[in-house]
Amino acid sequence: VGAAQEGWVPWPPQGAAPPRPGSQLHPGGSLSFLSPGGIAGGIEICITFPTEYVKTQLQLDEKAHPPRYAGIADCVKQTVRDHGVKGLYRGLSSLVYGSIPKAAVRFGMFEFLSNQMRDEQGKLDSTRSLFCGLGAGVAEAVMVVCPMETIKVKFIHDQCSPKPKYHGFFHGVREIVREQGLKGTYQGLTATVLKQGSNQAIRFFVMTSLKNWYKGDDPNKVINPFITGVFGATAGAASVFGNTPLDVVKTRMQGLEAHKYKSTWDCAYKIMKYEGPLAFYKGTVPRLGRVCLDVAIVFVIYDEVVKLLNKVWKTD
């Protein structure tokens, strides 16, 4: 952030109309991809990825066959026994490479939409933030998340095979594209759009609601980073309970056995028919831990750095 003063340019440009009250200031140009959210996302995923790995493994462990894992602890135990601790990080690279653009698209689109929908006092109400979050989620799903998640799931699923065929991130991507074309990285697009759209709609709705409640009649009231973290964790938990079924369907549609399903809806139907409704909540506990920490970290760092940028680039 300190180096940003030399590489980032003031926003808005000189001569441009000042932003409405409540809108955010943003660095311009292509360096927007080095957003606080992107940096926070990269740090966060390195810390919490094992929970993402376990969640994905449990979601891929179908009841249609004898279950491979007896639960979270058994999944961790078997993975470490067969592949060592580094086995819990299989597929990490695909998420690290995608975390910066994903967060940049998410927060950039949300701020763009929210700055168009604020009222004359610069306030964004909860209902409007829900639609802004939905737009941000759909944008990140199409541009970044779907190919990134598809590669991640294939990597994790490949490790279950007796003879894994992917030998690293770039080798895996090359093999997927060679065998299935670019569409091979866009498996489960419908489920991903539904998941990410609902994810961000819920998170930004809850986050905005809590912030508006905390500030009350004082829109300029400063929110302590700890409070922001608590609000972020709450928003993350709400999104987990609200859309884990979509996450399970997305994971199945992106796995190595996705050919068994004719469409997203067929996948959901077969899960319900052969595995029951509880199958839609596989991996909820490990996902809950990761997502709550993820959202808390990202919102805290993003908000704090935006506060700094707003002090540096004032538009009086």
Side-chain angles (χ1 to χ4, degrees):
V1 175
Q5 297 183 24
E6 296 181 6
W8 291 16
V9 298
W11 185 264
Q14 291 184 353
R20 285 181 295 171
S23 61
Q24 301 287 359
L25 304 181
H26 292 285
S30 60
L31 286 179
S32 61
F33 273 84
L34 298 177
S35 68
I39 297 171
I43 297 172
E44 173 275 328
I45 198 62
C46 290
I47 297 172
T48 64
F49 184 80
T51 63
E52 174 71 13
Y53 175 90
V54 172
K55 179 217 72 171
T56 303
Q57 286 285 32
L58 292 177
Q59 290 178 347
L60 291 170
D61 191 23
E62 304 179 44
K63 284 185 179 178
H65 305 286
R68 181 177 180 182
Y69 304 114
I72 297 173
D74 185 53
C75 179
V76 173
K77 179 181 177 181
Q78 287 194 44
T79 301
V80 173
R81 182 194 64 199
D82 298 338
H83 306 284
V85 175
K86 67 178 182 180
L88 294 171
Y89 284 87
R90 185 64 181 267
L92 170 64
S93 55
S94 63
L95 289 192
V96 171
Y97 296 148
S99 63
I100 292 178
K102 178 177 75 170
V105 169
R106 176 194 306 166
F107 283 98
M109 180 59 72
F110 179 81
E111 291 297 348
F112 171 78
L113 294 174
S114 65
N115 285 337
Q116 309 305 312
M117 300 181 71
R118 294 180 187 274
D119 60 24
E120 293 300 322
Q121 287 71 44
K123 185 175 181 180
L124 181 69
D125 62 36
S126 301
T127 301
R128 292 182 179 183
S129 73
L130 186 146
F131 288 106
C132 293
L134 178 62
V138 171
E140 72 173 6
V142 175
M143 297 176 67
V144 182
V145 176
C146 188
M148 180 185 72
E149 286 283 309
T150 301
I151 293 169
K152 179 210 72 176
V153 172
K154 288 182 183 297
F155 274 20
I156 292 177
H157 207 174
D158 178 59
Q159 184 165 298
C160 298
S161 305
K163 296 181 179 179
K165 61 181 180 179
Y166 300 144
H167 309 295
F169 176 78
F170 294 106
H171 176 264
V173 173
R174 185 170 65 249
E175 287 298 302
I176 292 170
V177 173
R178 183 179 65 81
E179 294 174 2
Q180 305 173 32
L182 287 177
K183 68 177 183 180
T185 63
Y186 269 90
Q187 290 180 331
L189 177 60
T190 300
T192 303
V193 168
L194 291 173
K195 178 209 168 185
Q196 293 303 121
S198 60
N199 242 351
Q200 303 313 326
I202 294 171
R203 290 176 188 177
F204 281 108
F205 171 81
V206 173
M207 197 68 184
T208 301
S209 298
L210 291 173
K211 282 186 173 182
N212 287 342
W213 165 79
Y214 184 80
K215 289 184 177 181
D217 297 327
D218 181 9
N220 296 317
K221 184 177 181 179
V222 177
I223 301 180
N224 184 283
F226 176 77
I227 299 297
T228 300
V230 172
F231 288 171
T234 302
S239 69
V240 168
F241 289 114
N243 80 344
T244 288
L246 291 172
D247 189 46
V248 172
V249 173
K250 175 198 71 68
T251 300
R252 295 286 181 86
M253 289 296 295
Q254 293 172 334
L256 297 179
E257 297 182 0
H259 61 275
K260 298 193 306 185
Y261 309 114
K262 298 177 182 178
S263 66
T264 298
W265 312 114
D266 180 59
C267 178
Y269 171 76
K270 288 182 176 177
I271 292 175
M272 174 64 77
K273 181 178 180 179
Y274 297 112
E275 303 177 52
L278 290 180
F280 286 109
Y281 281 89
K282 278 189 170 184
T284 297
V285 174
R287 185 183 179 217
L288 185 65
R290 189 189 75 80
V291 169
C292 288
L293 184 58
D294 172 8
V295 179
I297 290 175
V298 169
F299 271 114
V300 167
I301 295 182
Y302 183 83
D303 278 8
E304 291 306 305
V305 176
V306 166
K307 288 178 186 177
L308 174 62
L309 295 181
N310 281 331
K311 292 180 180 178
V312 174
W313 290 292
K314 292 183 178 180
T315 55
D316 294 330

